[in-house]
Amino acid sequence: MTSTNSPETLVDVLRDQSRPVFLFGAVPPKDGTTVEKCKEICAKFVARGSVLATDGFIIYDIQDEMGRTTLERPFPFRKCMDASTYGSYFPSLSGKQCVVYKSVVEAGVEDFDRWADMACEKHNHCAFNLVGAPSSKRVYSGLKLDEAGLKMKSRGGNGFGCVCIPERHITKGDEQLNMIRKIEFGAEWFITQGIFSSAPVSKLLNEYGDICRQKGITPKKVILTFAPCGRKKTMDFIKWLGIIVPEHKERRILDAEVPVRESITLLREILLNILQQTGNSGVPIGINVESLSIFKDEIDGAHDLFRILQATMLNSQGSPW
């Protein structure tokens, strides 16, 4: 585990090819929440997860994502407070660092630079995940992803990763090329969106590993994201996000006596399939579990899921962590 009292930073762990990384994701409180209330929310989140052997946290930058899909959003968009600010409360409360997500396409150069100054110098973050345009159909006024990446790389003293989207690889067949392009402008790891099907992930990891071998590149770590599901409303949101959920798996979860428990069992099976199908890819893997729900069964389920997936990953490696 990574502690602020250790010389090893979360960036070091994310870069380390020899071991997995285990992260737990959180959404910031709504914009306008007082500092005192934010710290209280963070303290409760950290306390609930204190028994989990995490390396650190992911703090998401939630955007409206207009134009990405024609599906109706299941939950109304709620503007959240800045991810860097919320993430700044975690180290003192948990002793662990955060990967801070940043959507770069809405901010101009000066705004992005001011944000980076705040995140790096005031909040002392060193690990970031930069996110580009949610839709190719819209024109955005902010930075392009490669421009933001080069800016972060030039600052020194930090590292950044990017997202990779297995579903996009199924439809377009070139996500591994996007990953190589992102590596070329400085990305040092990748984090997927939520996973409910092993096939797209396995295909992407194997083809990403293949192209890295062809180019003589050491593959960067890919962190696989999982989240439990205990109700139809959550499932609708998962699908709105663009995550592939095969119909038979959706029915298996929602028709179960205890849907959230069934989703945990299913997600463990999916991880096992990915590990078995990509064992020769040469791609190092990590785990991220999202705790995004307001419902107690899904909050508790996220903690159970983390423990189960961590044990599954470590057992598959046959070596101590």
Side-chain angles (χ1 to χ4, degrees), residues 16-320:
D16 190 344
Q17 302 285 313
S18 67
R19 54 151 293 183
V21 62
F22 298 100
L23 303 170
F24 203 71
V27 173
K30 66 180 180 181
D31 192 36
T33 305
T34 65
V35 171
E36 293 75 15
K37 185 63 176 177
C38 287
K39 290 181 177 179
E40 178 185 333
I41 292 169
C42 182
K44 288 180 179 179
F45 183 89
V46 167
R48 282 197 300 265
S50 60
V51 297
L52 302 178
T54 62
D55 289 297
F57 301 95
I58 289 178
I59 312 298
Y60 292 106
D61 181 15
I62 303 299
Q63 300 295 315
D64 193 13
E65 301 188 53
M66 290 180 60
R68 184 185 54 77
T69 178
T70 58
L71 295 175
E72 182 180 355
R73 189 184 182 108
F75 299 102
F77 173 66
R78 183 192 67 174
K79 182 174 173 56
C80 295
M81 71 177 294
D82 174 66
S84 171
T85 302
Y86 186 56
S88 69
Y89 305 140
F90 279 75
S92 63
L93 292 168
S94 68
K96 298 175 185 179
Q97 297 174 327
C98 301
V99 177
V100 176
Y101 265 58
K102 178 61 176 175
S103 174
V104 306
V105 296
E106 302 290 355
V109 173
E110 292 183 359
D111 287 340
F112 182 83
D113 286 341
R114 279 194 295 269
W115 180 88
D117 287 341
M118 176 186 70
C120 296
E121 297 172 16
K122 180 180 179 181
H123 295 153
N124 297 312
H125 295 302
C126 63
F128 302 92
N129 224 58
L130 303 181
V131 182
S135 172
S136 59
K137 299 177 182 178
R138 285 188 60 199
V139 176
Y140 297 88
S141 59
L143 293 173
K144 294 180 180 179
L145 188 60
D146 58 344
E147 294 171 335
L150 292 171
K151 276 183 165 293
M152 293 303 294
K153 186 176 180 180
S154 69
R155 299 180 73 89
N158 61 67
F160 75 88
C162 294
V163 299
C164 64
I165 303 177
E167 286 82 0
R168 186 161 60 194
H169 191 57
I170 293 297
T171 58
K172 296 186 177 181
D174 62 354
E175 186 68 1
Q176 81 280 28
L177 300 179
N178 287 331
M179 295 167 75
I180 295 298
R181 178 178 60 84
K182 292 171 182 178
I183 290 171
E184 289 173 347
F185 63 73
E188 299 189 80
W189 59 81
F190 296 95
I191 303 176
T192 73
Q193 62 181 10
I195 293 168
F196 275 84
S197 179
S198 62
V201 182
S202 297
K203 177 177 172 61
L204 175 58
L205 292 180
N206 285 324
E207 294 183 11
Y208 168 55
D210 287 344
I211 196 169
C212 285
R213 277 190 291 271
Q214 293 167 13
K215 291 180 172 291
I217 297 172
T218 300
K220 304 297 185 183
K221 189 175 292 179
V222 177
I223 296 99
L224 308 178
T225 297
F226 298 87
C229 174
R231 53 192 35 80
K232 185 179 186 303
K233 194 81 169 179
T234 303
M235 180 62 73
D236 289 344
F237 184 60
I238 285 167
K239 293 194 292 185
W240 179 86
L241 290 170
I243 297 167
I244 292 177
V245 185
E247 185 176 354
H248 70 281
K249 292 181 179 177
E250 178 180 354
R251 293 269 49 92
R252 175 178 161 183
I253 293 171
L254 297 181
D255 292 346
E257 183 176 353
V258 185
V260 71
R261 301 304 311 171
E262 190 65 28
S263 75
I264 291 170
T265 300
L266 174 63
L267 292 173
R268 179 180 182 273
E269 293 170 5
I270 289 171
L271 176 60
L272 278 171
N273 286 338
I274 292 169
L275 294 173
Q276 292 165 359
Q277 293 163 3
T278 65
N280 295 320
S281 68
V283 178
I285 292 175
I287 297 292
N288 168 45
V289 171
E290 297 178 330
S291 180
L292 308 181
S293 177
I294 61 172
F295 299 104
K296 186 179 186 301
D297 61 336
E298 291 175 335
I299 293 172
D300 292 342
H303 290 77
D304 294 340
L305 178 63
F306 181 92
R307 286 188 286 264
I308 289 169
L309 296 186
Q310 184 177 60
T312 300
M313 171 72 90
L314 295 176
N315 288 340
S316 76
Q317 295 201 331
S319 60

